[in-house]
Amino acid sequence: MKRLRIGIFKLTSCDGCQLSLLNLEERLLEMFKFYDIVHFKEGTDRTVKGSFDIAIIEGSITTDRQKEEVFNIREQARKVITIGACATSGGIQALRNWASLGEFKSYVYPSVETIESLSVSIPVNEHIYVDYELWGCPVSTEAIEEVLVAFILEKRPALPLYSLCMECKKKAIPCILVSSGQPCLGPVTKAGCGALCTHFRRPCYGCFGPKEGANINSLAGIFEGLDIPERDFIKLLDKMNSYAYRKARIEGIHE
């Protein structure tokens, strides 16, 4: 069997999702029977020119150079997969979308005029067609394995489409929102983390992004009933998936 050529690319991100891929360890070595990783700067300095069967992209687009890069990747790849909150939702750097980029720069850099950056940070799919998105901050190792195996078998990855609340019910975890009145984003957040935070009685803060059809405004009403100010609700949404939650909320208002 001819091995599939795979390229792994990084845009603006922390590298955490690529590390999740490396954390497959022995299982990743087994996949080398089916995949030939020809571009992966996080894991090897080997680079082979040519097209890709699969291109995996981590990170959001925050510069003009990155816009050009993703167009080139799309032209060279048969399939494109984005992994992690940055690539699928703009990442925590998307907080600039609701603020002054110049002000943000002044807090971080001594010479802001040397920093070239777009005024917004947005997902990869806002620029090119993406065949599959893998959410999470970071993505789970198990989910990456499922996606890579699914593409070998040419089937759709068997990943959950329901909310985090379903994972809590499966594990008999009492609802934090109902039982203790803590501001939990579980009802509107994709499952996939294994209910890690809620297992330890901590509310979900949305690292896997909004589930399809998430009713953000209904949850806002529940928070209001708990005397949680609108400002605090927005702060809760404005983390690694700020762009996606705000977009889902606006779409819900229009509906």
Side-chain angles (χ1 to χ4, degrees):
M1 177 180 175
K2 182 180 179 181
R3 292 192 297 170
L4 299 176
R5 289 168 57 91
I6 184 170
I8 303 166
F9 301 88
K10 168 186 161 55
L11 303 177
T12 300
S13 63
C14 71
D15 289 23
C17 292
Q18 292 179 84
L19 290 176
S20 292
L21 174 62
L22 291 175
N23 283 339
L24 283 168
E25 297 178 340
E26 289 84 0
R27 289 172 287 171
L28 183 61
L29 295 177
E30 285 293 315
M31 289 184 187
F32 285 166
K33 298 175 182 178
F34 306 98
Y35 285 116
D36 183 15
I37 299 181
V38 297
H39 181 92
F40 185 19
K41 291 185 178 180
E42 180 78 14
T44 175
D45 57 3
R46 177 192 181 215
T47 298
V48 180
K49 294 184 178 180
S51 60
F52 306 95
D53 291 295
I54 298 174
I56 296 177
I57 301 175
E58 178 199 66
S60 65
I61 297 172
T62 57
T63 67
D64 286 320
R65 179 186 59 79
Q66 290 174 343
K67 287 171 61 175
E68 295 178 7
E69 184 177 357
V70 294
F71 285 130
N72 291 333
I73 293 171
R74 179 69 270 185
E75 290 178 355
Q76 296 173 357
R78 186 166 61 89
K79 299 286 186 181
V80 172
I81 303 172
T82 52
I83 61 171
C86 295
T88 58
S89 182
I92 197 167
Q93 55 269 23
L95 290 173
R96 75 175 69 175
N97 299 0
W98 333 114
S100 166
L101 177 60
E103 185 179 0
F104 274 20
K105 285 182 179 179
S106 67
Y107 291 142
V108 179
Y109 303 102
S111 302
V112 297
E113 65 276 2
T114 63
I115 306 302
E116 295 182 3
S117 180
L118 298 174
S119 59
V120 294
S121 175
I122 56 179
V124 174
N125 70 3
E126 297 268 340
H127 291 278
I128 63 170
Y129 177 76
V130 172
D131 295 277
Y132 193 79
E133 294 182 329
L134 188 55
W135 290 64
C137 187
V139 293
S140 75
T141 298
E142 292 74 16
I144 289 182
E145 182 178 20
E146 169 61 26
V147 169
L148 291 177
V149 171
F151 271 75
I152 294 171
L153 301 176
E154 297 186 345
K155 72 179 186 70
R156 186 172 181 81
L159 296 175
L161 300 176
Y162 44 77
S163 73
L164 176 70
C165 293
M166 293 299 293
E167 289 193 341
C168 287
K169 290 182 181 297
K170 287 181 178 180
K171 296 186 175 184
I173 300 172
C175 179
I176 290 177
L177 184 63
V178 173
S179 64
S180 60
Q182 296 186 63
C184 181
L185 292 182
V188 297
T189 297
K190 295 176 187 287
C193 65
L196 179 62
C197 290
T198 52
H199 176 77
F200 292 99
R201 305 299 298 156
R202 295 178 59 188
C204 168
Y205 55 91
C207 62
F208 271 67
K211 74 180 187 70
E212 186 175 350
N215 194 334
I216 309 291
N217 299 296
S218 177
L219 184 62
I222 295 174
F223 279 27
E224 182 180 358
L226 295 172
D227 293 326
I228 298 172
E230 169 77 2
R231 178 190 61 199
D232 292 344
F233 179 56
I234 293 176
K235 285 183 178 179
L236 187 59
L237 297 177
D238 280 351
K239 290 186 171 65
M240 64 291 293
N241 287 292
S242 170
Y243 182 80
Y245 280 114
R246 289 212 186 197
K247 185 177 180 181
R249 192 177 190 190
I250 292 171
E251 290 173 349
I253 292 173
H254 289 167
E255 290 178 4

